[in-house]
Amino acid sequence: AVKGGWIMIVLAILSVIGVYIFFERFSTLRKAMQRNPLFMERIHDNIKDDDLKSAANYCRSENTPLSRIIERGVKSFNFSASSIRETIDNRANLEISELEKGLPILSTIAAVAPMIGFLGTVTGMVRAFWEMANAGNNIDVSLLSGGIYEAMITTVGGLVVGIIAIFAYNYLVTMVDKVQNDMEAEIISFMEIVREKKEL
């Protein structure tokens, strides 16, 4: 890594940040994906029994993105169905943006790392040719090849960091989409409970 100079240090820092974001987001999203199969059933029973307080308390005890969304719906239960839906959607958008935290940084690392690598290559080549020019007639092939070797290392480093970051980013985006789809399905179930209750 030291062969590539300070550029490799920058790439190493970016890779550490990328790895941290990936594992931190991965564990958060894994938790968000876990479903309590009895959750909506219990909410349904509470609402049927006009026990909104128990429903809200149960949501609070679950403390997942979905339960926080449904809790908001339960708390605004006395409003019209469309108002409840709007309240829920606002909370859902907030929860999704929380889940997406750090993803723009990962995306930036994926885009910037190869460019930084190329920058290292260009500066390395400039240095190699400058050393050649200064050597005058005593041009040593090892001088040139050593400079080019150093220059190329940064390109490889940049590409490796960039490729890994783009795969990590896309994987996390897929996880966020899955959580969002699951949330939407549960929100629809909740709205059916709301309509059923309000029609009584």
Side-chain angles (χ1 to χ4, degrees):
V2 180
K3 275 274 181 203
W6 66 271
I7 296 274
M8 288 304 279
I9 294 165
V10 173
L11 290 172
I13 292 166
L14 288 179
S15 66
V16 168
I17 293 168
V19 166
Y20 170 77
I21 290 171
F22 176 75
F23 284 108
E24 188 271 331
R25 283 294 92 189
F26 180 76
S27 68
T28 302
L29 287 162
R30 273 288 293 276
K31 270 188 212 140
M33 281 169 124
Q34 283 164 2
R35 288 274 167 274
N36 176 352
L38 302 174
F39 177 70
M40 288 310 288
E41 218 172 283
R42 176 115 171 241
I43 295 292
H44 183 269
D45 291 344
N46 286 150
I47 288 173
K48 213 165 140 192
D49 299 338
D50 288 320
D51 193 356
L52 297 177
K53 195 168 183 230
S54 293
N57 288 339
Y58 179 52
C59 287
R60 214 167 295 124
S61 70
E62 283 284 298
N63 197 25
T64 63
L66 174 67
S67 71
R68 287 191 289 272
I69 292 165
I70 300 302
E71 184 190 352
R72 195 52 64 91
V74 169
K75 282 182 170 173
S76 58
F77 201 82
N78 294 325
F79 300 149
S80 67
S82 60
S83 295
I84 295 171
R85 178 71 211 219
E86 199 179 321
T87 305
I88 285 178
D89 284 345
N90 290 340
R91 183 70 209 196
N93 290 336
L94 204 67
E95 291 293 340
I96 291 296
S97 67
E98 276 294 312
L99 293 174
E100 287 173 338
K101 259 189 188 165
L103 293 192
I105 297 170
L106 202 53
S107 168
T108 303
I109 290 171
V112 164
M115 287 182 179
I116 291 174
F118 289 134
L119 174 66
T121 297
V122 172
T123 55
M125 295 296 267
V126 167
R127 196 165 65 247
F129 285 115
W130 184 76
E131 282 169 4
M132 264 179 67
N134 280 354
N137 294 329
N138 310 318
I139 291 173
D140 184 1
V141 176
S142 65
L143 192 75
L144 182 61
S145 59
I148 292 170
Y149 164 68
E150 274 184 40
M152 297 317 278
I153 274 182
T154 60
T155 295
V156 173
L159 287 171
V160 167
V161 172
I163 289 166
I164 292 170
I166 198 78
F167 273 109
Y169 172 77
N170 285 331
Y171 186 72
L172 292 175
V173 165
T174 306
M175 285 181 85
V176 170
D177 286 346
K178 171 90 173 73
V179 171
Q180 200 167 1
N181 291 338
D182 289 351
M183 275 181 185
E184 186 55 38
E186 298 288 20
I187 287 168
I188 289 166
S189 297
F190 178 74
M191 289 311 298
E192 279 166 7
I193 296 167
V194 169
R195 288 192 184 96
E196 186 186 299
K197 183 69 182 171
K198 286 190 181 292
E199 278 165 14
L200 289 175

